[in-house]
Amino acid sequence: MSDKSFLDWPFFEPRHRALVAALEAWCAANLPVSHADVDAACKGLVAALGAGGWLLHTGAGAQERLDVRSLCLIRETLARHDALADFAFAMQGLGMGAVSLFGSEVQRAWLDQTRAGRAIAAFALTEPGAGSDVAATATTAVRVPDGWRLDGEKTWISNGGIADICVIFARSGEAPGAKGLSAFLMPCDVAGLQMAERLETIAPHPLARLRLDGVVLPAAALIGAPGQGFAIAMSVLDIFRPTVGAAALGMARAALAATQARVRARRIQGQPLATMQLVQGHLADMALKIDAAALLVYRAAWVKDQGAARITREAAMAKLYATEAAQEVIDMAVQLHGAEGVHKGHPVEALYREIRALRIYEGASDVQRLVIARALT
Ligand SMILES: Cc1cc2nc3c(=O)[nH]c(=O)nc-3n(C[C@H](O)[C@H](O)[C@H](O)COP(=O)(O)OP(=O)(O)OC[C@H]3O[C@@H](n4cnc5c(N)ncnc54)[C@H](O)[C@@H]3O)c2cc1C
């Protein structure tokens, strides 16, 4: 049983505690799912999360606001039970984040679909030549009568092969660098869009490289104003970076719980591993990192929910610390499991593979360090 004492921290309201209790019950009944076919699993998870009402939290209608504490609590809980369920949930939010924050009334109609689990969302920012360096975006958006023509390539796009709707960023050319980008809402059945390559990773998820060859979008596909794309992307990441930290936190809690059970049961030299002081020291370090990560994640979420326009520093600290700490906690969990820890199919072996990408996507750890340093210099 994972520690829930953090729910008594002043960051939370009674509705947050009720949310976690209800989601725990849902997870116990529905997770984990088989990862044998991740595309099918993700489609099923989006439908199930939609039917359960959980995806309502991934978007905000015109009179609503994303509740970042709820997003974080849901990601933490799902990630503790099944990393793929967290991925399916998170992408509905990240994919439609720009629409929730800046979308027109017509664009918001898509939120009804993604929040019900009837449409799968994606977020297409990264390119082969533009990962951390978003200002190097080369995909072009050129004005044509009644709209825009997009050409280029996007890569490492989560849900790339299975999404129905995607927010895509392209160079519309109002200024050089970051100030010349715009954001567009693109249905994935549009002519000229194709999956160029399926990408496999150490923890399989639906990921793809996409090609855009003369994709024509109507003028109404533009999100916000021309040239606002970079600011839109950063506003979305401000909200979703703490939630990546929350997912890492959930994985770390799962690793600690598995380790507690293991060291109580495993006997070495006639006594449980848990009675050995070196082991106790490692357990203490794991618990300490988890609590410190939780404080940073829920601090960032709370500040945003209090109405802060931007939480760039808090979000960077939460993502950086929680993902790095989770990697260390999970590595120690593998170590304390001995050979079982690297046994294919063991929960801590899966966590060891799942945690790695969280230190890279939505801004790699060193990029978060630069963001924090920028606020100090
Ligand atoms: C599983 C997974 C899912 C993803 N999903 C999506 C998605 O849905 N949509 C999307 O758009 N993208 C997605 N990405 C892409 C992800 O956001 C990028 O991989 C990430 O931004 C890093 O870009 P890059 O891989 O090009 O690495 P690079 O930009 O080449 O960076 C490599 C390394 O260089 C270092 N570095 C970079 N910049 C600096 C700097 N300024 N100073 C010092 N060091 C630096 C860091 O250590 C960094 O890790 C996903 C990636 C993965 C692995």
Side-chain angles (χ1 to χ4, degrees):
M1 185 62 181
S2 175
D3 177 21
K4 292 282 192 320
S5 60
F6 73 100
L7 288 170
D8 293 326
W9 293 349
F11 297 127
F12 301 110
E13 299 167 26
R15 67 190 168 93
H16 292 116
R17 289 183 272 278
L19 175 77
V20 172
L23 182 57
E24 276 296 344
W26 186 90
C27 290
N30 293 280
L31 302 179
V33 300
S34 164
H35 293 197
D37 175 345
V38 287
D39 287 16
C42 280
K43 287 178 189 170
L45 282 164
V46 168
L49 287 163
W54 306 111
L55 296 180
L56 289 172
H57 298 274
T58 62
Q63 305 305 321
E64 297 170 312
R65 221 171 56 182
L66 288 165
D67 187 76
V68 189
R69 286 167 294 173
S70 297
L71 284 170
C72 288
L73 288 168
I74 294 173
R75 287 202 67 177
E76 176 184 336
T77 306
L78 291 174
R80 187 157 45 74
H81 287 269
D82 185 344
L84 207 55
D86 164 61
F87 171 89
F89 173 85
M91 285 315 304
Q92 296 299 95
L94 179 69
M96 295 302 277
V99 176
S100 286
L101 297 180
F102 301 97
S104 65
E105 204 180 315
V106 173
Q107 291 165 350
R108 280 178 198 279
W110 271 100
L111 286 170
D112 297 340
Q113 303 300 313
T114 57
R115 294 172 85 188
R118 290 193 294 267
I120 295 179
F123 175 84
L125 181 63
T126 304
E127 299 184 0
S132 309
D133 185 10
V134 175
T137 294
T139 294
T140 53
V142 176
R143 284 181 197 268
V144 293
D146 300 328
W148 300 83
R149 178 191 154 119
L150 273 66
D151 290 275
E153 219 167 68
K154 293 287 171 183
T155 194
W156 298 110
I157 306 308
S158 300
N159 286 340
I162 61 170
D164 301 293
I165 186 74
C166 175
V167 168
I168 184 162
F169 298 84
R171 179 159 301 287
S172 43
E174 290 71 22
K179 294 208 167 115
L181 307 182
S182 296
F184 300 89
L185 186 63
M186 177 178 73
C188 296
D189 60 359
V190 70
L193 174 67
Q194 55 173 309
M195 184 167 86
E197 185 185 3
R198 168 80 189 202
L199 299 168
E200 300 298 339
T201 56
I202 54 173
H205 291 190
L207 282 166
R209 180 164 60 86
L210 304 176
R211 258 212 78 67
L212 293 93
D213 196 3
V215 168
V216 176
L217 297 176
L222 179 73
I223 301 174
Q228 250 189 1
F230 183 78
I232 289 174
M234 293 308 128
S235 298
V236 171
L237 291 176
D238 240 27
I239 288 181
F240 283 91
R241 277 179 180 156
T243 78
V244 179
L249 182 58
M251 293 185 203
R253 286 198 204 276
L256 177 58
T259 306
Q260 286 172 276
R262 168 77 182 180
V263 298
R264 284 185 195 125
R266 179 72 168 163
R267 296 183 75 83
I268 288 187
Q269 296 165 7
Q271 53 178 327
L273 207 47
T275 60
M276 296 177 167
Q277 285 194 335
L278 276 175
V279 172
Q280 290 173 355
H282 290 310
L283 290 175
D285 285 346
M286 291 163 86
L288 179 62
K289 288 179 206 293
I290 285 172
D291 271 12
L295 282 161
L296 284 170
V297 164
Y298 291 111
R299 187 268 299 251
W302 180 83
V303 172
K304 185 68 187 169
D305 289 342
Q306 295 315 296
R310 294 294 297 265
I311 51 161
T312 307
R313 181 179 66 103
E314 291 87 347
M317 285 184 172
K319 184 191 185 263
L320 171 62
Y321 185 82
T323 58
E324 294 285 330
Q327 180 88 60
E328 292 166 19
V329 167
I330 292 168
D331 185 62
M332 185 47 68
V334 168
Q335 194 70 15
L336 289 173
H337 276 75
E340 276 304 307
V342 292
H343 194 178
K344 209 168 172 182
H346 192 285
V348 297
E349 178 268 344
L351 288 167
Y352 191 76
R353 290 182 291 102
E354 291 284 357
I355 189 61
R356 192 61 185 86
L358 278 66
R359 293 167 57 205
I360 297 172
Y361 63 60
E362 290 186 43
S365 289
D366 278 349
V367 172
Q368 306 304 332
R369 287 188 175 90
L370 292 175
V371 170
I372 297 164
R374 229 174 273 140
L376 299 172
T377 51

